[in-house]
Amino acid sequence: KIYETKTPYKRLMESGEIKEDKKSELTRLKKSINLYELNGEIAMLLNELDNAYSKKYSNNNNFNINFELNYSNKEIATKCL
């Protein structure tokens, strides 16, 4: 069998469990989110967290991760919609 993968957003919209005004509100909210920008912000915060950890535990130099934003706008849109 082949199943179509659906995001939680799509499943909720198709479920009939929410009112039309809530659907409109969620759709507006979804359209207002810039996934590329959000992913960059997450990467920046992860780097800050890693730097704080490295400073606290400076004797363990093996733990140093550099989080980078490796997605193009198209890839993010494809993965998140």
Side-chain angles (χ1 to χ4, degrees):
K1 287 185 175 183
I2 297 176
Y3 295 97
E4 178 187 349
T5 57
K6 295 181 183 179
T7 63
Y9 170 81
K10 281 186 178 181
R11 288 194 306 268
L12 182 62
M13 291 296 153
E14 293 173 358
S15 72
E17 297 292 321
I18 61 172
K19 296 179 182 178
E20 286 300 318
D21 60 330
K22 283 292 180 186
K23 278 187 179 183
S24 298
E25 184 181 337
L26 289 172
T27 300
R28 184 181 46 76
L29 180 62
K30 184 176 184 289
K31 287 180 180 180
S32 72
I33 297 172
N34 181 337
L35 296 176
Y36 188 75
E37 187 177 296
L38 183 60
N39 197 22
E41 213 172 309
I42 290 170
M44 180 190 69
L45 292 170
L46 285 171
N47 278 323
E48 287 180 22
L49 182 62
D50 179 53
N51 289 337
Y53 182 88
S54 295
K55 285 179 185 176
K56 185 172 182 176
Y57 301 103
S58 60
N59 60 350
N60 183 3
N61 292 330
N62 294 331
F63 188 83
N64 189 11
I65 300 172
N66 185 21
F67 298 95
E68 295 179 5
L69 182 61
N70 292 322
Y71 296 110
S72 69
N73 283 333
K74 185 178 179 182
E75 287 175 314
I76 291 174
T78 302
K79 290 180 181 182
C80 297
L81 294 179

Coordinates of all heavy atoms in Angstrom, one line a residue:
K1 N 0.8 -1.2 0.0 CA 0.0 0.0 0.0 C 0.9 1.2 0.0 O 1.9 1.3 0.6 CB -0.9 0.0 1.2 CG -2.0 -0.9 1.2 CD -2.9 -0.7 2.4 CE -4.1 -1.6 2.4 NZ -5.0 -1.4 3.5
I2 N 0.4 2.3 -0.6 CA 1.1 3.6 -0.6 C 0.1 4.6 0.1 O -1.0 4.7 -0.3 CB 1.3 4.0 -2.1 CG1 2.3 3.0 -2.7 CG2 1.9 5.4 -2.1 CD1 2.6 3.4 -4.2
Y3 N 0.7 5.2 1.1 CA -0.1 6.2 1.8 C 0.5 7.6 1.6 O 1.7 7.8 1.4 CB 0.1 5.9 3.3 CG -0.5 4.6 3.8 CD1 0.2 3.5 3.9 CD2 -1.9 4.5 4.0 CE1 -0.3 2.3 4.3 CE2 -2.5 3.3 4.4 CZ -1.7 2.2 4.6 OH -2.2 1.0 5.0
E4 N -0.4 8.5 1.4 CA -0.1 9.9 1.3 C 0.3 10.5 2.7 O -0.5 10.3 3.6 CB -1.2 10.7 0.7 CG -0.9 12.2 0.6 CD -2.1 13.0 0.1 OE1 -3.1 12.4 -0.3 OE2 -2.0 14.2 0.2
T5 N 1.5 11.1 2.8 CA 1.9 11.6 4.1 C 1.2 13.0 4.2 O 1.1 13.8 3.2 CB 3.4 11.8 4.2 OG1 3.9 12.6 3.1 CG2 4.1 10.4 4.2
K6 N 0.7 13.3 5.4 CA 0.0 14.5 5.6 C 0.6 15.2 6.9 O 0.9 14.5 7.9 CB -1.5 14.3 5.8 CG -2.2 13.8 4.6 CD -3.7 13.7 4.8 CE -4.3 13.1 3.6 NZ -5.8 12.9 3.7
T7 N 0.7 16.5 6.9 CA 1.2 17.2 8.0 C 0.0 17.2 9.1 O -1.2 17.0 8.7 CB 1.6 18.6 7.7 OG1 0.4 19.3 7.2 CG2 2.7 18.6 6.7
P8 N 0.3 17.5 10.3 CA -0.7 17.6 11.3 C -1.7 18.7 10.9 O -2.9 18.6 11.1 CB 0.0 18.0 12.6 CG 1.3 17.4 12.4 CD 1.6 17.5 10.9
Y9 N -1.2 19.8 10.3 CA -2.1 20.8 9.8 C -3.1 20.3 8.8 O -4.3 20.6 8.9 CB -1.2 22.0 9.2 CG -2.0 23.0 8.4 CD1 -2.7 24.0 9.1 CD2 -2.2 23.0 7.1 CE1 -3.4 25.0 8.5 CE2 -2.9 23.9 6.4 CZ -3.5 24.9 7.1 OH -4.3 25.9 6.4
K10 N -2.6 19.6 7.8 CA -3.5 19.0 6.8 C -4.5 18.1 7.4 O -5.7 18.1 7.0 CB -2.7 18.3 5.7 CG -2.1 19.3 4.7 CD -1.5 18.5 3.5 CE -0.9 19.4 2.5 NZ -0.3 18.7 1.4
R11 N -4.1 17.2 8.3 CA -5.0 16.2 8.9 C -6.1 17.0 9.7 O -7.2 16.6 9.6 CB -4.2 15.3 9.8 CG -3.4 14.3 9.0 CD -2.9 13.1 9.9 NE -2.2 13.5 11.1 CZ -0.9 13.7 11.2 NH1 -0.1 13.5 10.1 NH2 -0.3 14.1 12.3
L12 N -5.7 18.0 10.4 CA -6.7 18.8 11.2 C -7.7 19.5 10.2 O -8.9 19.4 10.5 CB -6.0 19.8 12.0 CG -6.8 20.6 12.9 CD1 -7.6 19.8 14.0 CD2 -6.0 21.7 13.7
M13 N -7.2 20.1 9.2 CA -8.1 20.8 8.2 C -9.1 19.8 7.6 O -10.2 20.2 7.3 CB -7.2 21.5 7.2 CG -6.5 22.7 7.7 SD -7.6 23.9 8.3 CE -6.6 24.7 9.5
E14 N -8.6 18.6 7.3 CA -9.5 17.6 6.7 C -10.4 16.9 7.6 O -11.3 16.2 7.2 CB -8.7 16.6 5.9 CG -7.9 17.3 4.7 CD -7.0 16.3 4.0 OE1 -6.8 15.2 4.5 OE2 -6.4 16.7 3.0
S15 N -10.2 17.0 8.9 CA -10.9 16.2 9.9 C -12.3 16.6 10.1 O -13.2 15.8 10.5 CB -10.2 16.2 11.3 OG -10.3 17.5 11.9
G16 N -12.6 17.9 9.9 CA -14.0 18.3 10.2 C -14.2 18.6 11.7 O -15.4 18.8 12.1
E17 N -13.2 18.5 12.5 CA -13.3 18.7 13.9 C -13.2 20.1 14.4 O -13.4 20.4 15.6 CB -12.2 17.9 14.6 CG -12.3 16.4 14.4 CD -13.5 15.8 15.1 OE1 -13.8 16.2 16.2 OE2 -14.1 14.9 14.5
I18 N -12.8 21.0 13.5 CA -12.7 22.4 13.9 C -13.7 23.3 13.1 O -14.0 23.0 12.0 CB -11.3 23.0 13.8 CG1 -10.8 22.9 12.4 CG2 -10.3 22.2 14.7 CD1 -9.4 23.6 12.2
K19 N -14.0 24.4 13.7 CA -14.9 25.4 13.1 C -14.2 26.2 12.0 O -13.0 26.3 12.0 CB -15.5 26.3 14.1 CG -16.4 25.6 15.1 CD -16.9 26.6 16.2 CE -17.7 25.9 17.2 NZ -18.2 26.7 18.3
E20 N -15.0 26.7 11.1 CA -14.5 27.4 9.9 C -13.7 28.7 10.4 O -12.7 29.0 9.7 CB -15.6 27.9 9.0 CG -16.2 26.8 8.2 CD -15.2 26.1 7.3 OE1 -14.3 26.7 6.6 OE2 -15.2 24.8 7.2
D21 N -14.1 29.4 11.4 CA -13.3 30.5 11.9 C -12.0 30.1 12.4 O -11.0 30.8 12.1 CB -14.1 31.3 12.9 CG -14.4 30.5 14.1 OD1 -14.6 29.3 14.1 OD2 -14.5 31.2 15.2
K22 N -11.9 29.0 13.0 CA -10.6 28.5 13.5 C -9.7 28.0 12.3 O -8.5 28.2 12.3 CB -10.7 27.3 14.5 CG -11.1 27.7 15.8 CD -10.0 28.5 16.5 CE -10.4 29.0 17.9 NZ -9.4 29.8 18.5
K23 N -10.3 27.4 11.3 CA -9.6 27.1 10.1 C -9.0 28.3 9.4 O -7.8 28.3 9.0 CB -10.5 26.4 9.1 CG -10.8 24.9 9.3 CD -11.6 24.3 8.2 CE -11.8 22.8 8.4 NZ -12.5 22.2 7.3
S24 N -9.8 29.3 9.3 CA -9.3 30.6 8.7 C -8.1 31.2 9.5 O -7.1 31.6 9.0 CB -10.4 31.6 8.7 OG -11.4 31.2 7.8
E25 N -8.3 31.1 10.9 CA -7.2 31.7 11.7 C -5.9 30.9 11.6 O -4.8 31.4 11.5 CB -7.7 31.6 13.2 CG -6.7 32.2 14.2 CD -7.3 32.2 15.6 OE1 -8.5 32.0 15.8 OE2 -6.4 32.2 16.5
L26 N -6.0 29.5 11.6 CA -4.9 28.7 11.4 C -4.2 28.8 10.1 O -3.0 28.8 9.9 CB -5.2 27.2 11.7 CG -5.6 26.8 13.1 CD1 -6.1 25.4 13.2 CD2 -4.3 27.0 14.0
T27 N -5.0 29.0 9.0 CA -4.5 29.2 7.7 C -3.7 30.5 7.6 O -2.6 30.6 7.0 CB -5.6 29.2 6.6 OG1 -6.3 27.9 6.7 CG2 -5.1 29.4 5.2
R28 N -4.3 31.6 8.2 CA -3.6 32.9 8.2 C -2.3 32.8 9.0 O -1.3 33.3 8.5 CB -4.5 33.9 8.9 CG -4.0 35.3 8.9 CD -4.9 36.3 9.5 NE -5.5 35.9 10.8 CZ -4.8 35.9 12.0 NH1 -3.6 36.2 12.0 NH2 -5.4 35.4 13.1
L29 N -2.3 32.1 10.1 CA -1.1 31.9 10.9 C 0.0 31.1 10.1 O 1.1 31.5 10.1 CB -1.4 31.2 12.2 CG -0.3 31.0 13.2 CD1 0.4 32.3 13.6 CD2 -0.7 30.2 14.4
K30 N -0.5 30.1 9.5 CA 0.5 29.2 8.7 C 1.1 30.0 7.6 O 2.3 29.9 7.3 CB -0.3 28.0 8.1 CG 0.6 27.1 7.4 CD -0.2 25.9 6.9 CE 0.7 24.8 6.3 NZ 1.2 25.2 5.0
K31 N 0.3 30.9 6.9 CA 0.9 31.7 5.8 C 1.8 32.8 6.3 O 2.7 33.2 5.6 CB -0.3 32.3 5.0 CG -1.0 31.3 4.2 CD -2.1 32.0 3.4 CE -2.9 31.0 2.5 NZ -4.0 31.6 1.8
S32 N 1.7 33.2 7.6 CA 2.5 34.3 8.1 C 3.9 33.8 8.6 O 4.8 34.6 8.9 CB 1.8 35.0 9.3 OG 1.8 34.1 10.4
I33 N 4.1 32.5 8.7 CA 5.3 31.9 9.2 C 6.3 31.8 8.0 O 6.1 31.1 7.0 CB 5.1 30.6 9.9 CG1 4.2 30.7 11.1 CG2 6.4 29.9 10.2 CD1 3.8 29.4 11.7
N34 N 7.5 32.4 8.2 CA 8.6 32.2 7.2 C 9.5 31.1 7.7 O 10.3 31.3 8.6 CB 9.4 33.6 7.1 CG 10.5 33.5 6.1 OD1 11.0 32.4 5.8 ND2 10.9 34.6 5.6
L35 N 9.4 29.9 7.1 CA 10.1 28.7 7.6 C 11.6 28.9 7.4 O 12.4 28.4 8.2 CB 9.6 27.5 6.8 CG 8.1 27.2 7.1 CD1 7.7 26.0 6.3 CD2 7.9 26.9 8.6
Y36 N 12.0 29.6 6.4 CA 13.5 29.7 6.1 C 14.1 30.6 7.3 O 15.1 30.3 7.8 CB 13.7 30.4 4.8 CG 15.1 30.5 4.3 CD1 15.8 29.3 3.9 CD2 15.8 31.7 4.4 CE1 17.1 29.4 3.5 CE2 17.1 31.7 4.0 CZ 17.8 30.6 3.6 OH 19.1 30.7 3.2
E37 N 13.4 31.7 7.6 CA 13.8 32.6 8.7 C 13.8 31.8 10.0 O 14.7 31.9 10.8 CB 12.9 33.8 8.7 CG 13.4 34.9 9.6 CD 12.5 36.1 9.5 OE1 12.5 36.7 8.5 OE2 11.8 36.4 10.5
L38 N 12.7 31.1 10.3 CA 12.6 30.4 11.5 C 13.7 29.3 11.7 O 14.3 29.2 12.7 CB 11.2 29.7 11.6 CG 10.9 28.9 12.8 CD1 10.9 29.9 14.0 CD2 9.5 28.3 12.7
N39 N 14.0 28.6 10.6 CA 15.1 27.6 10.6 C 16.4 28.3 10.9 O 17.3 27.8 11.7 CB 15.2 26.9 9.3 CG 15.9 25.6 9.4 OD1 16.1 25.0 10.5 ND2 16.4 25.1 8.3
G40 N 16.7 29.5 10.4 CA 17.9 30.2 10.6 C 18.0 30.6 12.1 O 19.1 30.6 12.7
E41 N 16.9 31.1 12.6 CA 16.8 31.5 14.0 C 17.1 30.3 15.0 O 17.8 30.4 16.0 CB 15.4 32.0 14.3 CG 15.4 33.1 15.3 CD 14.0 33.8 15.4 OE1 13.5 34.2 14.4 OE2 13.6 33.9 16.6
I42 N 16.6 29.1 14.6 CA 16.8 27.9 15.4 C 18.3 27.6 15.4 O 18.9 27.2 16.4 CB 15.9 26.8 15.0 CG1 14.5 27.1 15.3 CG2 16.4 25.4 15.6 CD1 13.5 26.1 14.7
A43 N 18.9 27.6 14.2 CA 20.3 27.3 14.1 C 21.2 28.3 14.9 O 22.1 27.9 15.6 CB 20.7 27.4 12.6
M44 N 20.8 29.6 14.9 CA 21.5 30.6 15.7 C 21.4 30.3 17.2 O 22.4 30.3 17.9 CB 21.0 32.0 15.4 CG 21.7 33.1 16.2 SD 20.9 34.7 16.0 CE 19.4 34.3 16.9
L45 N 20.2 29.9 17.6 CA 20.0 29.6 19.1 C 20.7 28.4 19.5 O 21.3 28.3 20.6 CB 18.5 29.6 19.4 CG 17.8 30.9 19.3 CD1 16.3 30.6 19.3 CD2 18.2 31.8 20.4
L46 N 20.8 27.4 18.6 CA 21.5 26.1 18.9 C 23.0 26.4 19.0 O 23.7 25.9 19.9 CB 21.2 25.1 17.8 CG 19.9 24.4 17.9 CD1 19.7 23.6 16.6 CD2 19.7 23.6 19.1
N47 N 23.5 27.3 18.2 CA 24.9 27.7 18.3 C 25.2 28.4 19.6 O 26.2 28.2 20.2 CB 25.4 28.6 17.1 CG 25.7 27.7 15.9 OD1 26.3 26.7 16.0 ND2 25.3 28.2 14.7
E48 N 24.3 29.3 20.0 CA 24.4 30.0 21.3 C 24.4 29.0 22.4 O 25.2 29.1 23.4 CB 23.3 31.0 21.5 CG 23.5 32.3 20.6 CD 22.4 33.3 20.8 OE1 21.7 33.2 21.9 OE2 22.2 34.1 19.9
L49 N 23.6 28.0 22.4 CA 23.5 27.0 23.4 C 24.8 26.2 23.4 O 25.3 25.9 24.5 CB 22.3 26.1 23.1 CG 22.0 25.0 24.2 CD1 21.7 25.6 25.5 CD2 20.9 24.1 23.7
D50 N 25.3 25.8 22.3 CA 26.5 25.1 22.2 C 27.7 25.9 22.8 O 28.5 25.4 23.5 CB 26.8 24.7 20.7 CG 28.1 23.9 20.6 OD1 28.3 22.9 21.3 OD2 29.0 24.3 19.8
N51 N 27.7 27.2 22.4 CA 28.8 28.0 23.0 C 28.7 28.1 24.5 O 29.8 28.1 25.1 CB 28.7 29.4 22.3 CG 29.1 29.4 20.9 OD1 29.8 28.5 20.4 ND2 28.7 30.4 20.1
A52 N 27.5 28.3 25.0 CA 27.4 28.3 26.5 C 27.8 27.0 27.1 O 28.5 27.0 28.1 CB 25.9 28.6 26.8
Y53 N 27.5 25.9 26.5 CA 27.9 24.6 27.0 C 29.4 24.5 27.0 O 30.0 24.0 27.9 CB 27.2 23.5 26.2 CG 27.6 22.1 26.7 CD1 26.8 21.5 27.7 CD2 28.7 21.4 26.2 CE1 27.1 20.2 28.2 CE2 29.0 20.2 26.7 CZ 28.2 19.6 27.6 OH 28.5 18.3 28.1
S54 N 30.0 24.9 25.8 CA 31.4 24.8 25.7 C 32.2 25.6 26.7 O 33.2 25.2 27.2 CB 31.8 25.2 24.3 OG 31.3 24.3 23.3
K55 N 31.7 26.8 27.0 CA 32.3 27.7 28.0 C 32.2 27.0 29.4 O 33.1 27.1 30.2 CB 31.6 29.0 28.0 CG 32.0 29.9 26.9 CD 31.4 31.3 26.9 CE 31.7 32.1 25.7 NZ 31.0 33.3 25.6
K56 N 31.1 26.5 29.7 CA 30.9 25.9 31.0 C 31.7 24.6 31.2 O 32.3 24.4 32.3 CB 29.4 25.5 31.2 CG 29.1 25.0 32.6 CD 27.6 24.8 32.8 CE 27.3 24.3 34.2 NZ 25.9 24.2 34.5
Y57 N 31.9 23.8 30.2 CA 32.6 22.6 30.2 C 33.8 22.7 29.3 O 34.0 21.8 28.4 CB 31.7 21.4 29.9 CG 30.5 21.3 30.8 CD1 29.3 21.7 30.3 CD2 30.7 20.8 32.0 CE1 28.2 21.6 31.2 CE2 29.6 20.6 32.9 CZ 28.3 21.0 32.5 OH 27.3 20.9 33.3
S58 N 34.6 23.7 29.4 CA 35.7 24.0 28.5 C 36.8 22.9 28.5 O 37.6 22.8 27.6 CB 36.4 25.3 28.8 OG 36.9 25.3 30.1
N59 N 36.9 22.0 29.6 CA 37.8 21.0 29.6 C 37.5 19.9 28.6 O 38.3 19.0 28.3 CB 38.0 20.4 31.0 CG 36.7 19.8 31.5 OD1 35.6 20.0 30.9 ND2 36.8 19.2 32.6
N60 N 36.3 19.9 28.1 CA 35.8 18.8 27.1 C 35.7 19.5 25.7 O 34.7 19.9 25.3 CB 34.5 18.2 27.5 CG 34.1 17.1 26.5 OD1 34.8 16.8 25.6 ND2 32.9 16.6 26.8
N61 N 36.9 19.6 25.0 CA 36.9 20.3 23.7 C 36.4 19.4 22.6 O 36.3 19.9 21.5 CB 38.3 20.7 23.4 CG 38.8 21.8 24.4 OD1 38.0 22.6 24.8 ND2 40.1 21.8 24.6
N62 N 36.1 18.2 22.9 CA 35.5 17.3 21.8 C 34.1 17.6 21.5 O 33.6 17.3 20.4 CB 35.6 15.9 22.2 CG 37.1 15.4 22.3 OD1 37.9 16.0 21.6 ND2 37.3 14.5 23.2
F63 N 33.4 18.3 22.4 CA 32.0 18.6 22.2 C 31.9 20.0 21.6 O 31.8 21.0 22.3 CB 31.2 18.5 23.5 CG 29.7 18.7 23.2 CD1 29.0 17.6 22.9 CD2 29.1 19.9 23.4 CE1 27.6 17.7 22.6 CE2 27.7 20.0 23.2 CZ 27.0 18.9 22.8
N64 N 31.8 20.1 20.3 CA 31.7 21.4 19.6 C 31.0 21.2 18.3 O 31.5 20.7 17.4 CB 33.0 22.1 19.4 CG 32.9 23.5 19.0 OD1 31.8 24.1 19.0 ND2 33.9 24.1 18.5
I65 N 29.7 21.7 18.3 CA 28.9 21.4 17.1 C 28.6 22.8 16.5 O 28.3 23.8 17.2 CB 27.6 20.8 17.5 CG1 27.9 19.4 18.1 CG2 26.7 20.6 16.2 CD1 26.6 18.7 18.7
N66 N 28.7 22.9 15.2 CA 28.4 24.1 14.5 C 27.1 23.8 13.7 O 27.2 23.2 12.7 CB 29.5 24.6 13.6 CG 29.2 25.9 13.0 OD1 28.4 26.7 13.4 ND2 29.9 26.2 11.9
F67 N 26.0 24.4 14.1 CA 24.7 24.2 13.4 C 24.6 25.1 12.3 O 24.9 26.3 12.4 CB 23.5 24.4 14.4 CG 23.5 23.4 15.5 CD1 24.1 23.7 16.7 CD2 23.0 22.1 15.3 CE1 24.1 22.8 17.8 CE2 23.0 21.2 16.4 CZ 23.5 21.6 17.6
E68 N 24.3 24.7 11.1 CA 24.2 25.5 10.0 C 22.8 25.3 9.3 O 22.2 24.3 9.4 CB 25.3 25.2 8.9 CG 26.7 25.5 9.4 CD 27.7 25.1 8.4 OE1 27.4 24.7 7.3 OE2 28.9 25.2 8.8
L69 N 22.4 26.4 8.6 CA 21.2 26.3 7.8 C 21.5 25.8 6.5 O 22.3 26.4 5.7 CB 20.7 27.7 7.7 CG 19.4 27.9 7.0 CD1 18.3 27.1 7.7 CD2 19.0 29.4 6.9
N70 N 21.1 24.5 6.2 CA 21.4 23.8 5.0 C 20.3 23.6 4.0 O 20.3 22.8 3.2 CB 22.0 22.5 5.3 CG 23.4 22.6 5.9 OD1 24.2 23.5 5.6 ND2 23.7 21.8 6.9
Y71 N 19.2 24.4 4.2 CA 18.0 24.2 3.3 C 17.8 25.4 2.5 O 18.0 26.5 2.9 CB 16.8 24.0 4.2 CG 16.8 22.8 5.0 CD1 16.9 22.8 6.4 CD2 16.7 21.5 4.4 CE1 16.9 21.7 7.1 CE2 16.7 20.4 5.2 CZ 16.8 20.4 6.5 OH 16.8 19.3 7.3
S72 N 17.4 25.2 1.3 CA 17.0 26.3 0.4 C 15.5 26.5 0.7 O 14.8 25.7 1.4 CB 17.1 25.9 -1.0 OG 16.2 24.9 -1.4
N73 N 15.0 27.6 0.3 CA 13.5 27.9 0.5 C 12.7 26.8 -0.1 O 11.7 26.4 0.5 CB 13.1 29.2 -0.1 CG 13.6 30.4 0.7 OD1 13.7 30.3 1.9 ND2 13.8 31.5 0.0
K74 N 13.0 26.3 -1.2 CA 12.2 25.3 -1.9 C 12.2 24.0 -1.1 O 11.2 23.3 -0.9 CB 12.8 25.0 -3.3 CG 12.0 24.0 -4.1 CD 12.5 23.9 -5.5 CE 11.7 22.9 -6.3 NZ 12.3 22.7 -7.6
E75 N 13.4 23.6 -0.5 CA 13.5 22.3 0.2 C 12.6 22.4 1.5 O 11.9 21.5 1.9 CB 14.9 22.0 0.6 CG 15.8 21.5 -0.5 CD 17.2 21.4 -0.1 OE1 17.7 22.3 0.5 OE2 17.8 20.3 -0.5
I76 N 12.7 23.6 2.2 CA 11.9 23.8 3.4 C 10.4 23.7 3.1 O 9.7 23.1 3.8 CB 12.3 25.1 4.1 CG1 13.7 25.0 4.7 CG2 11.3 25.4 5.2 CD1 14.2 26.2 5.2
A77 N 10.1 24.4 2.0 CA 8.6 24.5 1.7 C 8.1 23.0 1.4 O 7.1 22.7 1.8 CB 8.4 25.4 0.5
T78 N 9.0 22.3 0.7 CA 8.6 20.9 0.3 C 8.5 20.0 1.6 O 7.5 19.2 1.7 CB 9.6 20.3 -0.6 OG1 9.7 21.1 -1.8 CG2 9.2 18.9 -1.1
K79 N 9.4 20.2 2.5 CA 9.4 19.3 3.7 C 8.3 19.7 4.7 O 7.9 18.9 5.5 CB 10.8 19.4 4.4 CG 11.8 18.7 3.5 CD 13.2 18.8 4.2 CE 14.2 18.2 3.3 NZ 15.5 18.2 4.0
C80 N 7.9 20.9 4.7 CA 7.0 21.4 5.8 C 5.6 21.6 5.4 O 4.7 21.8 6.2 CB 7.5 22.7 6.3 SG 9.2 22.5 7.1
L81 N 5.3 21.5 4.1 CA 3.9 21.7 3.7 C 3.1 20.5 3.6 O 3.4 19.4 3.6 CB 3.8 22.5 2.3 CG 4.3 23.9 2.4 CD1 4.3 24.5 1.0 CD2 3.6 24.7 3.4

